[in-house]
Amino acid sequence: MIEGQEGVTWEQWLALAEAAETAGLDGLFRSDHYRSIVRGEPAGALDAWATLAALAARTERIRLGTMVSPVTFRPASVLAKNVVTVDHVSGGRVELGIGAGWYETEHETYGFPFGTARDRVDELDRQLAEITRQWTESDEVRPRPLQNPRPRIIVGGRAKPRTVALAVRYADEYNTVSPSLVEARQRARVVADAAREAGREPLLLSMMTGCVVGRDAAEVEDRVARMAEVTGGRAGRPPIAGTLDEVVALLREYEAVGVERAMLQHLHHEDVEMVALLGEVAAALRA
């Protein structure tokens, strides 16, 4: 998972996507922000959905998606059309991560209305309903997505009642950010209980969390130091940082408490070599 607003160039996107495919990773997800969060000026962002459409044409296997697209940036019909476009370009490899939006500074910079938290969650509810209607029910909206019945939808949060209810109503997956093992267990239980009470199949539970991996302790600490340098220390030490064996062991602990997929945030995107190590982590987890 790459934070695209931290100055990732098109050439770097191509290198990361090629590395992800070569490493055997399942997918490449990116943030959907318009202003830097940890690097500051002059870092900037290429548009998430334009980037994903371009990467869809240059990749063959990895799944592509956002973590997450705020409903404050685009009308529901525009976001739905963007996702369908990437679905067609990729041959059915797109996923939509969608959220209420939170970063007020970028809204001020680009002139997006921000509103209250309640306003934004109300809009999330409305957009989820409209997007799913256009993808699955409307006879006038064409073309339909390639994926049947629609692309996967991911809703995220900290397992609070409203986001869980929206995920249960509309989504395939619930994503939570940087949970501890205790928090992951609790959130998995909340999401599972809500799905069961609604009489629907369980949602997949995933997490998005920072990660640094190395072949030995010295390489790990070198990568942590380089990440701190490029972020000015604002990102802190990643929740998951260790050797290959240590990272695999920790991810297995998360798996044991209910986490079924991990989007590993790679803040030092210039370090393409680490993507190959993440592929080894993925291979070990599948074994």
Side-chain angles (χ1 to χ4, degrees):
M1 186 274 175
I2 300 296
E3 295 289 348
Q5 75 279 356
E6 304 303 336
V8 188
T9 66
W10 172 238
E11 292 74 17
Q12 289 168 337
W13 278 119
L14 283 176
L16 289 161
E18 180 180 353
E21 289 221 316
T22 300
L25 294 175
D26 292 333
L28 174 62
F29 284 73
R30 64 154 295 164
S31 59
D32 191 354
H33 286 294
Y34 277 6
R35 278 200 66 170
S36 172
I37 296 171
V38 297
R39 295 202 183 195
E41 302 297 338
L46 298 176
D47 178 77
W49 285 101
T51 303
L52 293 175
L55 290 176
R58 299 291 291 266
T59 56
E60 297 179 356
R61 184 190 55 78
I62 52 172
R63 297 190 67 79
L64 301 163
T66 49
M67 292 300 297
V68 293
S69 287
V71 294
T72 50
F73 280 12
R74 308 170 184 89
S77 295
V78 173
L79 180 56
K81 186 68 74 176
N82 286 348
V83 179
V84 167
T85 300
V86 179
D87 200 43
H88 280 255
V89 175
S90 68
R93 293 184 282 122
V94 73
E95 304 185 23
L96 170 62
I98 186 169
W102 63 270
Y103 190 23
E104 188 170 5
T105 300
E106 67 188 349
H107 291 74
E108 294 171 351
T109 299
Y110 285 90
F112 294 125
F114 190 62
T116 66
R118 176 172 288 184
D119 292 336
R120 298 193 304 277
V121 177
D122 286 346
E123 180 63 10
L124 175 61
D125 191 348
R126 192 194 71 78
Q127 288 208 11
L128 281 164
E130 179 61 17
I131 289 167
T132 54
R133 183 193 74 82
Q134 291 190 19
W135 286 352
T136 63
E137 299 174 15
S138 175
D139 291 329
E140 291 80 32
V141 176
R142 300 291 178 186
R144 288 280 182 86
L146 290 184
Q147 295 179 79
N148 187 28
R150 55 165 175 73
R152 290 180 60 80
I153 294 174
I154 306 166
V155 169
R158 301 183 186 276
K160 301 299 183 183
R162 189 137 187 225
T163 58
V164 171
L166 290 177
V168 167
R169 192 177 314 147
Y170 298 109
D172 306 281
E173 181 173 337
Y174 192 85
N175 181 272
T176 193
V177 177
S178 301
S180 67
L181 285 166
V182 171
E183 289 168 337
R185 184 190 301 275
Q186 293 170 340
R187 294 171 192 179
R189 185 180 302 116
V190 168
V191 173
D193 288 348
R196 185 170 55 254
E197 290 170 8
R200 60 155 289 174
E201 72 278 3
L203 284 81
L204 186 146
L205 181 73
S206 61
M207 69 175 179
M208 193 277 281
T209 191
C211 178
V212 166
V213 61
R215 294 203 176 277
D216 55 37
E219 188 171 287
V220 172
E221 295 310 314
D222 178 64
R223 281 201 160 98
V224 169
R226 283 189 284 146
M227 189 193 77
E229 182 179 357
V230 299
T231 63
R234 286 181 287 272
R237 189 179 181 88
I240 296 179
T243 62
L244 287 164
D245 289 344
E246 290 168 341
V247 169
V248 168
L250 184 52
L251 288 173
R252 287 202 185 281
E253 290 185 57
Y254 276 100
E255 183 180 28
V257 300
V259 175
E260 299 171 85
R261 180 157 74 155
M263 284 79 162
L264 299 178
Q265 181 194 49
H266 183 26
L267 279 173
H268 190 196
H269 55 262
E270 296 90 345
D271 182 8
V272 178
E273 291 77 15
M274 199 184 87
V275 179
L277 296 183
L278 293 176
E280 294 186 38
V281 168
L285 290 167
R286 295 189 194 104

